[in-house]
Amino acid sequence: MISAKAEAIDMIAKGGRMAWQKATGYGQRSRGEAQIGRYKQFNGSVLLSRKLETQTTETKIAVKALNRMTHLGRATYERVA
């Protein structure tokens, strides 16, 4: 049985790193993890409200604000050579 790490290395060797990222969905997962990190940096890692209803509202407000900031201030990247 081949390990997942060995499979990834083989895929990268055959098709390149970008092809491996597209095939495995690595980029999407990476963006999700980065956004969660931004949420925790922006809002902290704990909710301030005690009731589930107000926690839900608190989270929705924070996510809406974070999405707006991300949309307004995301850097664009261009490949150079």
Side-chain angles (χ1 to χ4, degrees), residues 4-24:
K5 196 173 195 178
E7 282 184 39
I9 291 170
D10 288 342
M11 284 181 71
I12 293 169
K14 289 178 186 173
R17 186 177 55 85
M18 295 306 291
W20 168 75
Q21 286 184 359
K22 285 184 181 181
T24 60

Side-chain angles (χ1 to χ4, degrees), residues 47-67:
L47 295 172
L48 302 175
S49 304
R50 290 185 179 203
K51 294 181 180 178
L52 181 59
E53 182 181 336
T54 52
Q55 286 178 348
T56 303
T57 303
E58 178 184 345
T59 303
K60 286 180 181 179
I61 292 168
V63 167
K64 188 165 183 140
L66 181 63
N67 285 339

